[in-house]
Amino acid sequence: MVTNSIHWFRKGLRLHDNPSLADSLLGADTVRCVYILDPWFAGSSNVGIHRWRFLLQSLQDLDSSLRKHHSRLFVIRGQPTDVFPRLFKEWNTSRLSYEYDSEPFGKERDAAIRKLACEAGVEVTVRVSHTLYDPDRIIELNGGQSPLTYKRFQTLIGRMESVEMPAESVADDVMGKCRTPMSEDHDDKFGVPSLEELGECGPDGTAPGVWGFDTEGLSSAVWPGGETEALARLERHLERKAWVANFERPRMNANSLLASPTGLSPYLRFGCLSCRLFYFKLTDLYMKVKKNSSPPLSLYGQLLWREFFYTAATNNPRFDKMESNPICVQIPWDRDPEALAKWAEGRTGFPWIDAIMTQLRREGWIHHLARHAVACFLTRGDLWIGWEEGMKVFEELLLDADWSVNAGSWMWLSCSSFFQQFFHCYCPVGFGRRADPNGDYIRRYLPILRGFPAEYIYDPWNAPESVQKAAECVIGVHYPKPMVNHAHASRLNIERMKQIYQQLSCCRGFGLLASVPSTCHGTGETSSNGMAFPVEAPHADTAPSGCAMPVPSQADWPSSVRMHRLADPPQQGGGRTPYTPSFPLLVRRFVL
């Protein structure tokens, strides 16, 4: 009997450590590697041009690697539930394999495909390889519930088997035993499209509005997609033996704010790089450098936070929403499209915030602490706009935006879940000045401010008129004035959060405010313990819930704690108090 296999690529866009692909090849007579461009998903998701380019480059690289094994990638356009019944029939399919997807949408989609395969008599093989651990197994060990604190998560994985070794890379002797049927017009039928092709017309004649985007003037990719690039970066990453030997949490400075040739986060997100390969490479190198010493947990911290959020999200289809999300505090955020647009487009009047958002829009990546700064500014720090809005902007613009990690991180930093120390707040002036005192980062991304001396580049509205004119940038004319008075707004917002948590504490019977400093004045600055990982809040094993909690509406807020946006804030608007970070590094982005 002839065995015809299909391997369905989704996130795991690689040939190394791909156990489901390896299973598909065993004993098969033919194999076809498929990637499905789903117009419904593309139209309903918020994916920007940088992420599309990274994906297409990754598919091109994958196709090139398969060619070396006398195979090809089949890119097919349509919805999987429409595509697979046709492929099962046309290709006389015996076996379908794919990598396990733990996210709710993926689970629902895969259940539908598995049902169709069963009806067609197709065997389905699924393997876990996008995460270090099986999230379902962690939940099972936790009594059927996702662990909602990092401490509890660590306890659970400590009781699990060791991380499984990466699967061997697909080799010629294995692929050589399987034939890939191809026609002469393969590229016309199944080739990887270019950005320009997607921009001109959607698949199957769909309107350009679904897939189309303007590629004119698009700069070259700072982060080229693909497994080949990922493995090259991994080797450069591991060459930094001194860092591995003396691992500390990544510190932000002027250089680290820029994209690094050893950065790995987009490659882990798209599965161009196996997290298990990264894990074991780090382990091997550490053991060589530090003989007779076990690797510290901090060495894997970045990967484990990714695992934590995947596990927290896997059984929660509302994980990316506030309403009806059982782990999310229901906060009456403001709705202000104009303020949201200013933040997203880098027009807040705070150079540190605007430079970060400009880099994000231009390159598709920003440093993890820069993400913290702009997220805090948008939500509980200054603008009091809901975290869902910020999450959508990151989903569109960030190359490494990941549904689980992105939503979890935004809930965290907005103090909507996981993290409750709302009295800590990033200063949009002092934080950047501490990282890059000379302001070179701002000059790079906001050239209009290039002429300002370092003394004023973070708060140019405080510069004397003569300095502004000498810099050829008058604040309020060439560059906007600050849209809020940070010291005032952050103080009011801290009080708002305090009232919310007080009511939540009464509702749930928890002492959630036990750690609120009695002398907290809402200055917008944090304490200076510099912790690298989250501190568990009191009773943290039970996260704040989205239960029916009597939170006052915007109209009910006392006038003393309402948000005030200022058309012309006082000169002290940004504040100049030195900043010392105290927040947990919640969006670990593999930038070391």
Side-chain angles (χ1 to χ4, degrees), residues 190-267:
F190 305 112
V192 179
S194 66
L195 271 177
E196 290 73 19
E197 288 171 338
L198 288 184
E200 291 169 2
C201 183
D204 304 325
T206 56
V210 177
W211 294 72
F213 31 69
D214 185 8
T215 60
E216 185 176 352
L218 183 65
S219 59
S220 58
V222 177
W223 300 79
E227 178 184 21
T228 301
E229 175 70 16
L231 293 175
R233 283 173 174 256
L234 176 62
E235 291 306 310
R236 292 195 294 267
H237 188 98
L238 296 172
E239 286 173 1
R240 301 171 63 184
K241 294 184 180 180
W243 167 79
V244 175
N246 302 287
F247 179 78
E248 296 180 2
R249 69 182 179 89
R251 301 183 184 277
M252 186 173 65
N253 55 46
N255 290 329
S256 67
L257 288 169
L258 306 179
S260 167
T262 62
L264 301 175
S265 60
Y267 305 93

Side-chain angles (χ1 to χ4, degrees), residues 45 57 69 118 141 173 188 216 279 337 349 363 419 464 512 557 566 587-588:
S45 62
Q57 288 177 341
H69 297 294
C118 180
L141 286 175
D173 59 340
D188 292 334
E216 185 176 352
Y279 178 94
E363 300 176 6
F419 182 71
L512 296 175
W557 284 106
L566 307 181
V587 193
R588 308 263 175 181

